Amino acid sequence: MILGYKKREELLEKHGLKRPETFLVQSKKEAVEKGKSMGFPVVAKISSDKHLHRTELGGVIVDIKNEEELGEAFEKLSGIEDIEGIIIQKQIDGVELIVGAKKDPSFGPVVMLGTGGIMVEIFKDVSFRVAPFKVDKAKEMIEEIKGKKLLDGFRGGPEVDKEKLVDLLVKTSRLAFEEEVRELDFNPVIANERDVYICDVKIVL
Amino acid sequence: MKFEKIFNPKTVAVVGATERPSSVGRGLVENLQEGKRDLFYINPNREELFGEKSYSKVTDVSEEIDLAIIAVPKNIAPEVVDDCIEKQVGAVIIISAGFAEADEEGEKRQEEISKKLEKADIPLVGPNCLGIIRPPVNLNASFAPGSPKEGTLSLISQSGALIDSIVDGSKNQNYGFSLIVSVGNAAGLSLVDYVRVADEDPNTEVIMLYIEGIEDGREFLRVLEEVKTPVVAIKGGKTEKSKKAISSHTGSLAGRYEVFSAALRQAGVFEVDSLEEMFDVAKLLAWQSGSVDEVGVVTNGGGAGVLLTDALYNQNLTLPDLSEETIRKIKEDMHPDYSKGNPLDIVGDALPDRYESACRGVISQENISALVVIQTLQIMTDPLENAKRIVKLKKEFKKPIATVFMGAGKETKEAIAYLEKNGIPNYSDPKRAAKPLQALKQKQDE
């Protein structure tokens, strides 16, 4: 069962996992209102438990700089079928990572960390640990990925707050273990010097 | 040792013993006969076997039976098990196949046997296994092609046939075993049970695992995290034929093998990709201890030195420069064209004195924690004497030393045997020395 928006947010809150400012809206007016209140740039994307790869559907629009663009974006996205609404979210810049969880038939809940983006399944730069775990294992996961240099201010990119990333991994491991999640994607998780932001969530129980 | 009746029985009954050539029953008996134990042959079709009385049932034997080994057709096995329970044997090994690995009927058969033996509190090895071998007590309760040398390696394998090849292969090698277990269908004792036994065995210095599948991954992880003996493992079966309906990126990336491999790392188990690697690593882990950080290399051949350096860097190991002090120490004994660096190429005409001076200089350098000595056989090389000097240095300094004596001629083999019998692992290819050093490094990083 793929969790809908509200249930996802509840689960994350229960485990102390923060999201960047995010709103699920049903009307253009609401969208623009929220966009204004958050401050641009923002991201607009469809919320749907039917679509796995929204990028391919044109279901994600980034770099929305003002109300006009936001209105247009809303209209465009509303045309897509089988959605429960449009998500408006503050746009965050930083290093793109993926954090996930899966129930393995032998080992039970396992947490994954990887360098993200849509090419994660091509590069497969990921590490795993069996959940639940604490800080030391989370640190090992970070050391094991090839892209770890990206977290250290690579080519003008931000120096990521690793402690917050470690904290996110530990909390995700607890969520995966306690809720017996079948599959979970936090993709992307955007990390910069201020914080680590779960920008998108998919949970299958 | 726990399960003493399995691993050091005083009396053994072989059910299904037979003189028929090339049979499992005969193989078992011949292997068992090498130890000095009281053996009882159970075969209702014979009155006499191997010059001794043959019994119809286990219950006909008046003495106590510590270990009963059952090698009878699968449909007779259940009644034999009943006899063993009645006789109150100390432990049972079922060699026979045709249980859970075969079909549903076999699974039921296994389930029943397993329950009965558990109720009777009689430990069970197998079914569908090769048996167990314990050289230190001269026990070979298996139908492997012979007995391996005694030593400090232990092997727990989910493949019996691999054990056969390993036992045969070990005849040409300088390593020996403390414990070898063929796990079989694990209806009684499981892989982790044997790991615990090996960990507690004072003769075992390294545990090698061949694994195809683990049912309870969490228990596996927990036990292996606790175990103090270093463990090296090889996983058989890495590709998944089909992936069920996947709804997420994580679902698609977290394949059974990827998770398993990560779990091994999490448990501090060193994973290898081949049997050759497994023994390469095991030799070093078993015979030496000490921390590995930066490595010093002494060689009488530049090419071999380069190959080793490449392999070391590939395993994230580094070679520090030679210090001024080291160069000062060795300068006089070196060939004018020596490399003045690390790897220390002491040139092809190096004799034992030069080897010793170079090795001593390098290994005593403070920031060098491990030494690898390469020897390429040249006209004037003296392999055995070189080996003796290296062993001498090993006793003096406590740092890990491995050698790459290349070639397989008589003199080289003699030298290699000398090295390995003195606890210095040799690798015939420079590349093969790298992973073992990385494994030793990881062992003390925990």
Side-chain angles (χ1 to χ4, degrees):
Chain A
M1 174 187 87
I2 302 184
L3 289 190
Y5 182 84
K6 190 153 173 280
K7 288 238 162 66
R8 295 200 300 260
E9 298 298 312
E10 278 171 13
L11 212 55
L12 291 184
E13 207 185 309
K14 179 176 171 196
H15 289 273
L17 289 160
K18 294 178 351 256
R19 305 283 314 280
E21 273 196 281
T22 307
F23 298 100
L24 179 69
V25 302
Q26 307 293 345
S27 73
K28 183 164 156 183
K29 180 159 173 261
E30 212 189 336
V32 172
E33 216 179 273
K34 298 296 182 199
K36 253 171 58 179
S37 76
M38 284 191 292
F40 295 91
V42 300
V43 171
K45 33 195 177 182
I46 53 171
S47 177
S48 164
D49 59 1
K50 300 275 186 313
H51 304 299
L52 174 58
H53 296 298
R54 292 170 309 184
T55 329
E56 282 146 38
L57 290 167
V60 179
I61 300 179
V62 301
D63 263 338
I64 298 170
K65 299 189 212 33
N66 54 49
E67 296 172 43
E68 203 187 320
E69 285 183 13
L70 182 50
E72 280 168 17
F74 181 89
E75 272 169 18
K76 192 149 174 261
L77 294 176
S78 312
I80 298 176
E81 290 187 354
D82 279 328
I83 61 177
E84 58 169 334
I86 307 290
I87 294 176
I88 311 293
Q89 187 177 71
K90 185 102 184 68
Q91 176 158 309
I92 314 278
D93 285 322
V95 178
E96 219 174 326
L97 300 167
I98 175 171
V99 172
K102 180 181 179 185
K103 197 167 185 196
D104 178 85
S106 292
F107 291 91
V110 172
V111 171
M112 181 185 90
L113 167 70
T115 47
I118 54 176
M119 294 192 265
V120 65
E121 284 185 48
I122 294 181
F123 294 122
K124 299 196 184 172
D125 179 21
V126 291
S127 62
F128 300 94
R129 282 299 182 273
V130 175
F133 51 77
K134 300 203 180 119
V135 167
D136 54 346
K137 298 236 159 61
K139 285 188 179 156
E140 280 171 21
M141 287 180 80
I142 298 176
E143 282 307 301
E144 274 175 29
I145 54 171
K146 293 198 197 98
K148 65 177 185 259
K149 285 219 177 82
L150 290 167
L151 304 173
D152 295 327
F154 184 74
R155 294 268 174 90
E159 258 187 66
V160 165
D161 186 338
K162 291 215 186 109
E163 252 182 62
K164 299 236 164 76
L165 179 57
V166 164
D167 185 57
L168 181 101
L169 289 167
V170 169
K171 291 196 168 116
T172 305
S173 82
R174 250 206 309 264
L175 187 163
F177 184 70
E178 284 171 26
E179 310 293 341
E180 301 226 13
V181 167
R182 198 143 65 81
E183 284 174 55
L184 176 154
D185 270 354
F186 291 156
N187 184 30
V189 165
I190 307 230
N192 56 35
E193 52 282 284
R194 269 164 291 130
D195 210 331
V196 171
Y197 303 86
I198 300 174
C199 291
D200 213 72
V201 182
K202 179 170 189 141
I203 302 181
V204 183
L205 282 185
Chain B
M1 188 183 250
K2 199 177 176 201
F3 304 118
E4 192 70 13
K5 302 269 165 76
I6 300 175
F7 295 108
N8 194 10
K10 291 197 214 44
T11 55
V12 181
V14 184
V15 188
T18 169
E19 284 175 348
R20 203 176 72 241
S22 301
S23 68
V24 169
R26 182 169 178 143
L28 273 168
V29 171
E30 286 179 348
N31 279 341
L32 280 162
Q33 282 176 341
E34 297 189 7
K36 307 268 174 288
R37 293 180 170 76
D38 291 331
L39 300 179
F40 301 98
Y41 308 119
I42 319 290
N43 185 336
N45 302 323
R46 292 273 175 279
E47 290 204 3
E48 208 188 87
L49 277 173
F50 303 99
E52 306 220 350
K53 176 171 179 192
S54 163
Y55 300 82
S56 293
K57 306 167 103 189
V58 175
T59 42
D60 291 342
V61 178
S62 53
E63 289 91 325
E64 258 193 58
I65 294 179
D66 283 347
L67 176 64
I69 308 180
I70 302 177
V72 301
K74 57 185 189 254
N75 34 350
I76 307 185
E79 66 185 75
V80 172
V81 169
D82 287 338
D83 290 344
C84 288
I85 293 175
E86 198 188 317
K87 175 71 186 152
Q88 290 188 329
V89 306
V92 171
I93 298 180
I94 301 181
I95 304 285
S96 320
F99 293 88
E101 86 288 356
D103 50 26
E104 223 178 278
E105 200 188 320
E107 202 175 325
K108 250 182 74 202
R109 197 179 290 128
Q110 178 173 309
E111 185 67 25
E112 282 169 19
I113 288 180
S114 164
K115 282 208 188 92
K116 282 192 206 166
L117 286 168
E118 197 183 336
K119 195 156 164 239
D121 203 22
I122 297 176
L124 165 65
V125 177
N128 184 36
C129 72
L130 186 77
I132 66 138
I133 306 178
R134 253 200 99 205
V137 301
N138 257 314
L139 175 68
N140 188 340
S142 82
F143 63 100
S147 294
K149 291 186 275 295
E150 185 182 339
T152 55
L153 274 51
S154 281
L155 169 67
I156 300 163
S157 167
Q158 285 181 330
S159 159
L162 280 183
I163 294 178
D164 283 333
S165 335
I166 285 168
V167 166
D168 191 40
S170 73
K171 294 190 176 124
N172 238 345
Q173 302 285 347
N174 296 305
Y175 50 73
F177 296 86
S178 175
L179 174 66
I180 298 181
V181 178
S182 162
V183 174
N185 295 358
L189 294 179
S190 67
L191 186 129
V192 295
D193 289 322
Y194 300 119
V195 170
R196 280 203 203 93
V197 169
D199 185 42
E200 286 163 25
D201 170 30
N203 293 320
T204 297
E205 296 286 12
V206 68
I207 300 173
M208 301 180 294
L209 303 176
Y210 171 73
I211 303 175
E212 278 170 4
I214 298 286
E215 240 180 81
D216 188 344
R218 287 195 172 244
E219 188 199 13
F220 176 80
L221 194 56
R222 203 176 20 93
V223 171
L224 272 109
E225 271 174 337
E226 283 171 10
V227 156
K228 307 251 181 339
T229 315
V231 183
V232 51
I234 172 171
K235 172 79 169 69
K238 297 182 181 174
T239 46
E240 250 164 292
K241 275 203 206 108
S242 72
K243 292 214 169 119
K244 295 182 306 174
I246 291 293
S247 325
S248 66
H249 291 295
T250 305
S252 136
L253 288 161
R256 303 289 303 270
Y257 169 66
E258 286 76 20
V259 170
F260 185 83
S261 186
L264 285 180
R265 214 168 314 128
Q266 194 166 342
V269 173
F270 192 80
E271 190 186 351
V272 290
D273 284 323
S274 72
L275 293 174
E276 180 182 271
E277 267 183 11
M278 189 167 75
F279 282 96
D280 283 349
V281 169
K283 277 191 319 195
L284 185 59
L285 289 179
W287 296 345
Q288 300 199 14
S289 54
S291 49
V292 174
D293 195 10
E294 301 207 273
V295 182
V297 175
V298 171
T299 176
N300 72 342
V306 164
L307 284 176
L308 177 60
T309 307
D310 288 344
L312 291 171
Y313 270 93
N314 222 327
Q315 288 293 319
N316 296 320
L317 294 163
T318 51
L319 284 70
D321 291 329
L322 289 188
S323 66
E324 305 248 329
E325 193 187 332
T326 304
I327 294 189
R328 226 186 324 115
K329 276 195 219 163
I330 64 177
K331 214 163 49 168
E332 268 172 38
D333 304 319
M334 293 297 114
H335 187 286
D337 295 330
Y338 83 108
S339 69
K340 302 184 188 64
N342 183 14
L344 178 55
D345 184 346
I346 57 178
V347 183
D349 64 344
L351 294 174
D353 282 346
R354 197 191 296 165
Y355 254 108
E356 183 175 344
S357 169
C359 290
R360 181 182 294 280
V362 170
I363 204 176
S364 45
Q365 184 167 315
E366 213 180 299
N367 66 343
I368 285 180
S369 55
L371 171 68
V372 185
V373 187
I374 301 175
Q375 177 191 272
T376 59
L377 190 71
Q378 318 224 5
I379 299 181
M380 60 289 283
T381 314
D382 186 345
L384 185 58
E385 188 55 34
N386 287 341
K388 291 189 174 154
R389 306 296 183 94
I390 294 170
V391 169
K392 195 172 82 176
L393 283 172
K394 178 81 186 74
K395 298 197 167 107
E396 242 182 271
F397 297 84
K398 300 301 171 207
K399 300 179 183 177
I401 302 181
T403 55
V404 179
F405 275 35
M406 303 177 68
K410 185 160 162 285
E411 286 190 345
T412 306
K413 272 170 89 165
E414 204 186 354
I416 292 173
Y418 183 85
L419 285 165
E420 293 206 324
K421 290 197 171 103
N422 280 285
I424 297 184
N426 187 71
Y427 303 102
S428 54
D429 184 319
K431 181 180 177 191
R432 288 170 68 175
K435 246 191 203 181
L437 285 168
Q438 174 58 241
L440 189 57
K441 177 171 191 210
Q442 282 183 23
K443 169 177 152 192
Q444 110 273 318
D445 276 349
E446 283 151 34

